[in-house]
Amino acid sequence: GEDVEQSLFLSVREGDSSVINCTYTDSSSTYLYWYKQEPGAGLQLLTYIFSNMDMKQDQRLTVLLNKKDKHLSLRIADTQTGDSAIYFCAEFTGGGNKLTFGTGTQLKVEL
Amino acid sequence: DVKVTQSSRYLVKRTGEKVFLECVQDMDHENMFWYRQDPGLGLRLIYFSYDVKMKEKGDIPEGYSVSREKKERFSLILESASTNQTSMYLCASNRQGIYEQFFGPGTRLTVL
């Protein structure tokens, strides 16, 4: 079955790097996503990675994918207070256009 | 820009009431989804729809039904609201074959 897990909380200081981790169980995942949810808002797609890639970089964001360990991470460089949000990883396995979301990681950025 | 709107941001209902949550998207997307979001549980899929008048059960459909009479509108119905349905409800849509889902702002429902 599909199961996506994340740690619930992460606290970092402004200017440091944040690393948010995600593990999934379905080895047939084709796409993996990171969504951001700011307080009181819906989810917004941050970035995604195809399963045949190991890494993707987009400005301050770096996504690493370890297919062998079924581990996905999101690194945010130079973390700012505006990065405080809940971050969800999600996997798409090709069945019915459905995404399976993780539990979400609440990132708190302290001054 | 894709816009997904939900009929209410906050809603308070009483146990046993029938509750309608409405979602509208303006980008002619084929697929629409209803999720509920609870702390520590992430997003769980309730129902989704591939096309008008079509619906599929998600992971937690019990206590809910849906209606899709028009392509742009997807309604979530709680036939008899219960306190364990107090939650944040999120609607999403996407185009067939494009895997990014676009989300509405959410409806925070409280059932007393």
Side-chain angles (χ1 to χ4, degrees):
Chain A
E2 302 159 356
D3 198 11
V4 182
E5 294 190 353
Q6 302 176 235
S7 53
L8 292 181
F9 298 102
L10 177 65
S11 180
V12 299
R13 290 195 180 277
E14 189 178 39
D16 287 350
S17 291
S18 309
V19 179
I20 302 171
N21 294 301
C22 172
T23 57
Y24 59 98
T25 56
D26 195 329
S27 58
S28 64
S29 296
T30 52
Y31 298 84
L32 293 132
Y33 302 82
W34 283 105
Y35 278 83
K36 177 183 180 183
Q37 184 183 35
E38 295 183 354
L43 276 67
Q44 182 180 14
L45 181 67
L46 271 183
T47 186
Y48 64 93
I49 189 168
F50 295 115
S51 58
N52 62 357
M53 297 169 65
D54 298 323
M55 186 181 89
K56 181 178 181 182
Q57 188 148 5
D58 184 1
Q59 299 183 332
R60 291 191 298 123
L61 306 178
T62 303
V63 178
L64 295 177
L65 175 61
N66 181 330
K67 283 197 74 175
K68 177 175 169 288
D69 295 337
K70 300 190 185 69
H71 183 265
L72 181 73
S73 67
L74 173 70
R75 179 177 180 269
I76 306 172
D78 188 25
T79 311
Q80 303 298 307
T81 53
D83 295 323
S84 292
I86 302 176
Y87 291 81
F88 291 92
C89 64
E91 62 173 351
F92 175 78
T93 56
N97 261 300
K98 293 191 296 177
L99 296 182
T100 300
F101 285 85
T103 50
T105 299
Q106 172 94 53
L107 174 64
K108 183 179 177 184
V109 182
E110 298 176 324
L111 296 172
Chain B
D1 279 350
V2 174
K3 196 164 183 184
V4 181
T5 56
Q6 295 184 227
S7 50
S8 306
R9 293 299 303 271
Y10 300 93
L11 209 51
V12 180
K13 296 291 181 181
R14 295 202 175 276
T15 303
E17 280 192 82
K18 190 169 185 175
V19 182
F20 292 88
L21 302 182
E22 298 222 309
C23 175
V24 177
Q25 48 92 6
D26 66 358
M27 284 301 290
D28 201 37
H29 285 169
E30 292 85 3
N31 305 322
M32 296 188 75
F33 306 83
W34 275 107
Y35 296 89
R36 65 176 282 176
Q37 180 183 3
D38 300 288
L41 297 177
L43 271 69
R44 293 179 291 167
L45 182 63
I46 305 171
Y47 267 96
F48 59 105
S49 169
Y50 293 134
D51 202 349
V52 175
K53 296 194 187 297
M54 295 185 69
K55 60 184 179 184
E56 297 278 345
K57 291 180 180 179
D59 301 316
I60 51 162
E62 296 79 19
Y64 303 94
S65 62
V66 290
S67 172
R68 193 157 179 210
E69 295 297 318
K70 293 186 177 181
K71 191 175 185 180
E72 67 270 18
R73 189 180 298 267
F74 192 35
S75 301
L76 180 70
I77 303 154
L78 287 66
E79 294 288 342
S80 177
S82 62
T83 54
N84 63 12
Q85 292 178 309
T86 291
S87 187
M88 170 72 89
Y89 290 88
L90 292 164
C91 174
S93 72
N94 70 350
R95 190 175 299 286
Q96 189 70 21
I98 305 296
Y99 308 118
E100 177 183 356
Q101 291 186 11
F102 296 87
F103 281 81
T107 297
R108 185 165 293 282
L109 172 67
T110 302
V111 183
L112 301 174

